[in-house]
Amino acid sequence: MVQKQDLFPPVNMFGNLYFVGTKPASTHVVDTGEGLIVFDTGYQHSLYVVIDGIYRMGLKLADVRYIFLTHGHIDHLGGARALRDLTGAKICLGAEDRQYANGELDLSYAKELGMSFKETFEPDILLKDGDEITLGNTTVRAVATPGHTPGAMSFFFDVTDGKETFRAGLHGGMGINTMCKAFLDKYNLPYSLREDFVKSMHRLNEEKVDIFLGNHMQHNKTESKAKLLQEGNKYAYVDATEWQPYNLWCIENLNAMIARENAESN
Ligand SMILES: [Zn+2]
């Protein structure tokens, strides 16, 4: 069960874009006119909140056609198998994170959280850099952004209210927690993930993004913007100035961690 303090009311962010996640893990939905695309499912134990959110936004669960996953950690893919069973939707995951999802590698981060990942699955579509998938009026472009995990994927697509169109960018994984020395050593992961991460952030910086989406609420200030939206600002989530500084901050954050580790080992 989800703790009461982790619940967050679903939000129609702009036009055909919705937030239906929980405070610990974001889930976004796009209504393409010919079906729904779900981005990340959150944990398995909070999937019922996502389903409730879909209905509360006036959408239908049976319309889910694709489940895009930003990376292979339990807080993003935990509910994917159950959601696929319920809807018949296709699960799309970065090819490099396949073994995170199917359980061949114990890398779902569940253990770190005192959980176990039992709802393992084989993804239907293994995404590679530059892949595009179209449903209805929406084309999702996947950009490989390894670092947080080897298969982390960022997603770009247009959002519209029928009059105006904005470019949304969903960041695939910004947490540096999985690139600290202790974690890399514990799970036998390569240190090159750190260099991959820096390259990925520079790669993301080439994208123009009007609506910055994160896979955790604090990344893109989902909560405070929901308040602005409620107060009548329909553009609460539209801000073309947020994306690039955030990517550069991710690099600084990683470098600061590496500097701390070096200081400790000297
Ligand atoms: Zn993660």
Side-chain angles (χ1 to χ4, degrees), residues 131-144:
D131 280 355
E132 290 191 342
I133 290 178
T134 299
L135 180 71
N137 63 7
T138 304
T139 296
V140 179
R141 187 161 58 87
V143 173

Side-chain angles (χ1 to χ4, degrees), residues 29-81:
V29 175
V30 173
D31 180 0
T32 72
E34 289 177 33
L36 307 177
I37 300 173
V38 171
F39 294 92
D40 284 345
T41 65
Y43 294 96
Q44 201 277 337
H45 69 258
S46 54
L47 185 65
Y48 71 98
V49 176
V50 169
I51 293 169
D52 182 56
I54 287 172
Y55 281 113
R56 282 168 71 183
M57 289 289 97
L59 307 169
K60 287 201 199 89
L61 188 67
D63 291 340
V64 177
R65 296 281 179 275
Y66 287 103
I67 302 162
F68 280 81
L69 301 169
T70 53
H71 62 272
H73 285 158
I74 192 165
D75 45 341
H76 308 294
L77 56 58
R81 181 165 126 191

Side-chain angles (χ1 to χ4, degrees), residues 30-243:
V30 173
D31 180 0
T32 72
E34 289 177 33
L36 307 177
I37 300 173
V38 171
F39 294 92
D40 284 345
T41 65
Y43 294 96
Q44 201 277 337
H45 69 258
S46 54
L47 185 65
Y48 71 98
V49 176
V50 169
I51 293 169
D52 182 56
I54 287 172
Y55 281 113
R56 282 168 71 183
M57 289 289 97
L59 307 169
K60 287 201 199 89
L61 188 67
D63 291 340
V64 177
R65 296 281 179 275
Y66 287 103
I67 302 162
F68 280 81
L69 301 169
T70 53
H71 62 272
H73 285 158
I74 192 165
D75 45 341
H76 308 294
L77 56 58
R81 181 165 126 191
L83 189 60
R84 177 172 66 184
D85 286 352
L86 285 167
T87 62
K90 288 194 167 23
I91 299 176
C92 311
L93 175 71
E96 261 54 65
D97 278 6
R98 177 179 168 235
Q99 290 171 301
Y100 285 47
N102 68 16
E104 279 174 21
L105 293 176
D106 182 15
L107 283 169
S108 73
Y109 209 77
K111 208 154 66 182
E112 298 293 311
L113 300 167
M115 300 175 174
S116 61
F117 176 40
K118 297 194 186 87
E119 308 275 324
T120 56
F121 59 88
E122 281 294 344
D124 299 287
I125 297 172
L126 293 172
L127 297 170
K128 298 271 190 209
D129 184 47
D131 280 355
E132 290 191 342
I133 290 178
T134 299
L135 180 71
N137 63 7
T138 304
T139 296
V140 179
R141 187 161 58 87
V143 173
T145 46
H148 179 70
T149 67
M153 281 281 169
S154 299
F155 302 114
F156 299 89
F157 51 94
D158 286 343
V159 170
T160 183
D161 65 352
K163 296 185 209 92
E164 291 175 282
T165 300
F166 294 108
R167 191 71 171 160
L170 172 57
H171 208 294
M174 58 278 279
I176 58 166
N177 53 328
T178 54
M179 289 174 284
C180 72
K181 194 176 178 313
F183 189 88
L184 294 173
D185 289 346
K186 183 174 174 184
Y187 290 97
N188 203 19
L189 288 161
Y191 277 68
S192 56
L193 282 173
R194 295 169 164 193
E195 288 143 45
D196 293 342
F197 183 77
V198 173
K199 277 186 213 148
S200 295
M201 296 308 112
H202 285 300
R203 173 70 191 79
L204 287 179
N205 246 8
E206 293 166 17
E207 302 288 332
K208 178 193 168 287
V209 168
D210 304 307
I211 299 178
F212 170 21
L213 303 177
N215 46 22
H216 292 288
M217 286 178 82
Q218 66 273 22
H219 298 151
N220 61 327
K221 306 192 186 83
T222 303
E223 190 162 6
S224 57
K225 288 174 188 168
K227 201 159 171 279
L228 290 177
L229 191 72
Q230 219 169 18
E231 288 164 4
N233 179 0
K234 76 176 269 204
Y235 301 108
Y237 287 94
V238 182
D239 184 347
T241 68
E242 285 183 308
W243 178 258

